[in-house]
Amino acid sequence: MTYLEILKQYWGYDNFRGIQEEIINSIGEGHDTLGLMPTGGGKSITFQVPALAKEGLCLVVTPLIALMKDQVRNLRERGIKALAIYSGMTREEILVALENCIFGDYKFLYISPERLDTEIFQTKLRHMKVSMITVDESHCISQWGYDFRPAYLKIADIRTLLPNVPVLALTATATPEVVKDIQLKLGFREGSQTFRMSFERKNLAYIVRHTENKQEELLHILNKVNGSAIVYTRNRKRTREVAELLCNNQITATFYHAGLNNDVKDQRQKSWLTGEHRVMVATNAFGMGIDKPDVRLVVHVDMPDSPEAYFQEAGRAGRDGRKAYAVLLFAKSDKTNLNKRITDTFPDKEYIREVYEDLNYYYQMAMGDGLGCTYAFNIDEFCRNFKHFPIQVDSALKILTRAGYLEYTDEQDNASRLIFLLRRDELYKLQEFDSDTEKLLNIILRSYTGLFTDYAYINEESLEIRTGLTRQQIYDTLVMLTKRRILHYIPRKKTPYIIYTRERLEKKYLHLSREVYEDRKESYVARIKAMLDYASAEENCRSRMLLRYFGEKNEHNCMQCDVCLQKHQTGLKEGEFQELKNQILEKLNTSSYPVAELLSQLNADKEKVNTVISFLLSEEIIHIKNGILSS
């Protein structure tokens, strides 16, 4: 089947759009390929279509569990065999999934980067027929990007096990510097190709509102613009506060952040997707892999610390092609708060050494010991004991991780586990269970082994499917059985871990290289400055500023951002004035023109051109002599 036939059969489309076909042809011919496509550009088609045309399995590396589940479900609904491996699955479930990839004629395996270097995965990978590797959110591999994740560096190791398998890297946000770094870190081979789709969003109006009363401005905007909306805040506490504010003002809203349990996240995401709640108030934990095309409005009440983060989050508005708005609320205090993030993210080197020393005392680590040791890390307890603040400690540990002294995993998932406290015969003698409890116990006993001798990892999502009970019912039942001392249930939780990757050193020998500290700090400072420049701009089209940041030269103003729409002193809209001014100066930089000839050269309203010429003459930006204009 041709690519177009596959597209028609499985997705019902007659044609590809944008740069999809070019990317598909490139990876189909075996070239390492980088595709830069904005949010909503149709990234998934670029690897799903060629993978179906090839013999074998497409390995998809992505950090987004919500996206994995969503895409696997969508593929299966189309009759395509797909699997995902993510945190929370038992060893048995992972083994079954990997065996299916070897023997079950599956076409897609979605996996998180953290799982790539596990022994079980690498052993099974050697027996899989892999046709291509897709790396989604590939900017995460670059230390010059805004969202660097060390686990992504493991992808290069996978390439050594699959030397002739082409890689397709995809991202929605990458500066020219990050593009080069992605290719370097993924080991792109000779003949690799890069395709860039324009990041311009012609239906999306970028607006900055300068205000000292963000709550009032937010209510005003939401009452003025109809339709579904996302409101982004900086921290978890603010999500709850803003959602309550909206609900108290008759705007249906819910909130979302990484600290909520999965059931609550799923329920709130669903209520927003179905329109039960009009507004989702969230941290940056929300949005990745969420497919809701009719979002009319994205508002940032707090400033993101990079144009990449802002562009990606704002880009979730208007994916259906209809008019939408991305609004940033900017107060005088935002500049101070953003600059404070620099010192929070890059504390002094001496402070980082102190955190390292305190960590060694915390674990009572002797000099020269530690290599390979793994410890659970309670950041709140650590900060209480050693008089630190969590934000700076978190940053110090991340820098120590990049420097190679330890590995700090701040989102280590511990799957739920349980053990039966009664013997099997004692359990069978109990008769007082209701039907739901009995069903749950029977399925647990059939699904997992060793439950009477040791803790076994369980998966509530799997139990939910097998029993027909809700996640909350399963949780409540297991908690009840724990209270009755029939079993002991430890719910899934996220626990940070510290792994020593080197033996303990004296802090004076701790070396933080320029690449690890100064270079990355300079890059972070540059992103903060670019964000502040964007918010403070009064003359430059906001769309053009964002596009320029990502290395895209755009010769026209958007005519819909707040800068373009504000009035210039000539009475024209600012965007209109700037557009005509640039055209006039471009002409006069190469030659002099009589006024009438210049008017005929420009494809624009003559009266407006005359207005701009008059202004430029009055400001002595251009000159006239004997009816001839010059710069």
Side-chain angles (χ1 to χ4, degrees):
M1 289 174 72
T2 67
Y3 295 138
L4 272 176
E5 286 169 343
I6 291 170
L7 181 72
K8 181 67 175 175
Q9 178 177 328
Y10 291 103
W11 284 273
Y13 301 134
D14 292 316
N15 293 294
F16 294 106
R17 58 191 175 98
I19 58 172
Q20 286 177 333
E21 191 166 14
E22 294 165 272
I23 292 173
I24 289 167
N25 286 331
S26 175
I27 193 72
E29 290 164 5
H31 301 295
D32 289 339
T33 307
L34 175 59
L36 296 120
M37 304 173 76
T39 303
K43 285 191 292 179
S44 59
I45 292 284
T46 64
F47 64 86
Q48 289 171 352
V49 168
L52 289 172
K54 287 171 174 275
E55 188 183 341
L57 175 88
C58 174
L59 186 65
V60 186
V61 182
T62 175
L64 309 170
I65 291 177
L67 181 137
M68 283 188 199
K69 292 179 178 178
D70 188 50
Q71 291 203 3
V72 166
R73 187 181 67 252
N74 285 335
L75 287 166
R76 286 177 175 174
E77 285 171 358
R78 291 181 164 86
I80 299 165
K81 297 176 84 170
L83 286 166
I85 292 176
Y86 46 84
S87 55
M89 292 173 69
T90 64
R91 180 179 172 83
E92 288 77 11
E93 287 169 324
I94 291 170
L95 263 172
V96 169
L98 293 173
E99 290 289 327
N100 278 331
C101 290
I102 298 170
F103 302 111
D105 196 29
Y106 275 78
K107 296 302 294 182
F108 295 93
L109 171 61
Y110 286 77
I111 191 165
S112 61
E114 290 78 11
R115 299 261 156 193
L116 295 177
D117 70 339
T118 59
E119 186 181 348
I120 182 174
F121 174 73
Q122 294 203 4
T123 300
K124 296 296 182 186
L125 181 65
R126 289 178 170 87
H127 302 286
M128 293 180 199
K129 185 174 178 59
V130 178
S131 61
M132 58 184 281
I133 302 168
T134 299
V135 183
D136 198 16
E137 308 298 332
S138 60
H139 61 273
C140 294
I141 203 170
S142 172
Q143 66 169 330
W144 308 120
Y146 76 104
D147 195 19
F148 173 67
R149 303 190 191 190
Y152 263 75
L153 297 172
K154 296 165 185 170
I155 300 169
D157 298 334
I158 295 300
R159 293 212 70 179
T160 63
L161 298 176
L162 304 167
N164 299 314
V165 175
V167 167
L168 171 59
L170 298 166
T171 181
T173 45
T175 62
E177 183 180 38
V178 170
V179 167
K180 289 179 188 171
D181 206 28
I182 291 170
Q183 294 168 323
L184 179 68
K185 296 288 197 306
L186 285 175
F188 268 37
R189 301 166 300 180
E190 192 176 340
S192 67
Q193 300 193 38
T194 300
F195 301 95
R196 178 187 288 272
M197 189 172 173
S198 173
F199 280 25
E200 185 177 11
R201 294 286 304 280
K202 292 184 179 177
N203 64 313
L204 185 57
Y206 296 101
I207 312 290
V208 175
R209 286 279 176 261
H210 292 252
T211 177
E212 296 308 312
N213 189 338
K214 293 190 177 185
Q215 291 189 353
E216 188 180 286
E217 187 66 29
L218 176 62
L219 290 170
H220 169 73
I221 292 165
L222 283 166
N223 284 319
K224 195 172 177 185
V225 179
N226 295 322
S228 184
I230 307 173
V231 175
Y232 281 107
T233 68
R234 179 68 181 168
N235 60 51
R236 297 175 181 185
K237 184 184 173 190
R238 288 264 279 172
T239 62
R240 182 184 296 104
E241 292 170 350
V242 173
E244 285 174 1
L245 167 77
L246 300 182
C247 290
N248 291 338
N249 283 273
Q250 289 71 58
I251 297 170
T252 57
T254 187
F255 65 92
Y256 185 109
H257 56 69
L260 301 171
N261 73 47
N262 288 340
D263 285 340
V264 173
K265 286 181 188 173
D266 291 346
Q267 181 267 320
R268 292 186 180 176
Q269 183 177 305
K270 188 176 179 182
S271 74
W272 178 74
L273 286 168
T274 58
E276 181 186 339
H277 288 102
R278 179 190 163 202
V279 182
M280 177 64 82
V281 186
T283 61
N284 61 4
F286 179 76
M288 287 283 203
I290 305 302
D291 187 17
K292 185 169 172 63
D294 61 343
V295 177
R296 300 271 65 83
L297 176 68
V298 171
V299 183
H300 282 79
V301 293
D302 296 317
M303 288 272 286
D305 55 10
S306 72
E308 289 98 328
Y310 181 69
F311 185 81
Q312 192 168 66
E313 289 159 14
R316 289 171 189 142
R319 288 171 60 172
D320 57 4
R322 292 172 51 216
K323 185 65 179 283
Y325 299 88
V327 184
L328 175 66
L329 303 184
F330 185 51
K332 290 174 184 172
S333 58
D334 284 326
K335 184 173 183 180
T336 305
N337 293 337
L338 264 189
N339 284 322
K340 184 179 182 300
R341 286 187 211 169
I342 297 169
T343 53
D344 282 345
T345 307
F346 289 91
D348 290 343
K349 284 186 173 182
E350 191 51 41
Y351 176 82
I352 296 168
R353 292 187 178 99
E354 283 174 23
V355 168
Y356 177 76
E357 188 79 342
D358 291 343
L359 195 69
N360 293 321
Y361 284 116
Y362 183 61
Y363 293 123
Q364 299 183 342
M365 183 66 64
M367 201 69 69
D369 287 347
L371 177 63
C373 293
T374 301
Y375 299 99
F377 181 62
N378 186 327
I379 193 169
D380 294 326
E381 180 184 77
F382 178 80
C383 289
R384 278 196 307 273
N385 290 356
F386 296 96
K387 307 292 186 294
H388 292 302
F389 292 103
I391 291 174
Q392 287 93 331
V393 167
D394 182 76
S395 296
L397 292 174
K398 285 175 178 172
I399 291 168
L400 287 166
T401 295
R402 292 194 183 101
Y405 292 101
L406 50 86
E407 202 170 298
Y408 168 54
T409 55
D410 58 347
E411 288 187 359
Q412 179 71 41
D413 256 326
N414 277 347
S416 303
R417 58 196 190 277
L418 63 78
I419 185 173
F420 278 94
L421 302 176
L422 298 180
R423 295 195 310 270
R424 189 182 290 268
D425 59 326
E426 292 174 326
L427 180 66
Y428 287 144
K429 286 176 186 175
L430 296 175
Q431 299 294 324
E432 69 270 30
F433 298 129
D434 61 41
S435 60
D436 284 347
T437 303
E438 195 166 327
K439 184 196 294 182
L440 177 61
L441 284 171
N442 284 332
I443 286 174
I444 287 173
L445 289 166
R446 285 204 304 268
S447 304
Y448 303 100
T449 57
L451 290 160
F452 293 92
T453 55
D454 199 359
Y455 283 96
Y457 288 105
I458 65 167
N459 185 333
E460 288 91 334
E461 185 179 358
S462 173
L463 291 173
E464 189 179 10
I465 294 165
R466 294 176 195 175
T467 62
L469 301 174
T470 66
R471 194 84 64 90
Q472 191 63 46
Q473 285 174 309
I474 292 168
Y475 174 82
D476 291 342
T477 302
L478 293 175
V479 168
M480 177 271 291
L481 293 169
T482 299
K483 286 177 181 174
R484 291 183 56 189
R485 298 204 47 78
I486 291 168
L487 54 78
H488 186 219
Y489 167 59
I490 303 173
R492 174 182 175 180
K493 64 176 181 176
K494 286 189 172 180
T495 307
Y497 274 83
I498 298 285
I499 303 167
Y500 278 80
T501 50
R502 287 189 60 178
E503 70 285 351
R504 179 191 167 181
L505 301 172
E506 286 186 50
K507 70 174 184 178
K508 65 182 179 182
Y509 295 124
L510 211 68
H511 177 61
L512 302 173
S513 70
R514 178 170 183 83
E515 185 183 54
V516 164
Y517 189 86
E518 282 88 358
D519 287 352
R520 294 196 68 258
K521 183 175 180 179
E522 285 169 17
S523 180
Y524 186 67
V525 169
R527 292 200 293 275
I528 295 269
K529 182 180 182 301
M531 201 64 230
L532 288 170
D533 287 347
Y534 171 84
S536 307
E538 294 181 355
E539 290 187 355
N540 296 323
C541 166
R542 299 204 188 279
S543 177
R544 284 183 76 175
M545 288 186 77
L546 287 170
L547 294 173
R548 198 177 308 126
Y549 179 84
F550 291 113
E552 184 175 333
K553 291 177 181 170
N554 191 346
E555 303 305 325
H556 61 272
N557 292 331
C558 72
M559 299 302 180
Q560 59 181 353
C561 70
D562 60 297
V563 173
C564 284
L565 292 178
Q566 73 185 5
K567 292 286 185 186
H568 186 262
Q569 63 195 80
T570 56
L572 299 175
K573 290 174 183 173
E574 182 69 36
E576 214 169 27
F577 171 81
Q578 293 292 345
E579 193 88 1
L580 291 171
K581 173 189 168 184
N582 291 339
Q583 288 181 33
I584 291 166
L585 292 178
E586 192 177 328
K587 289 286 183 188
L588 295 180
N589 280 339
T590 56
S591 183
S592 300
Y593 288 91
V595 175
E597 189 179 337
L598 182 62
L599 286 170
S600 67
Q601 290 268 333
L602 300 175
N603 185 23
D605 182 283
K606 303 293 186 276
E607 191 175 328
K608 291 178 179 177
V609 175
N610 269 321
T611 299
V612 177
I613 289 172
S614 298
F615 177 83
L616 296 176
L617 286 169
S618 67
E619 294 293 309
E620 298 187 342
I621 295 169
I622 64 173
H623 309 280
I624 188 166
K625 186 174 182 181
N626 300 325
I628 305 293
L629 291 168
S630 61
S631 60

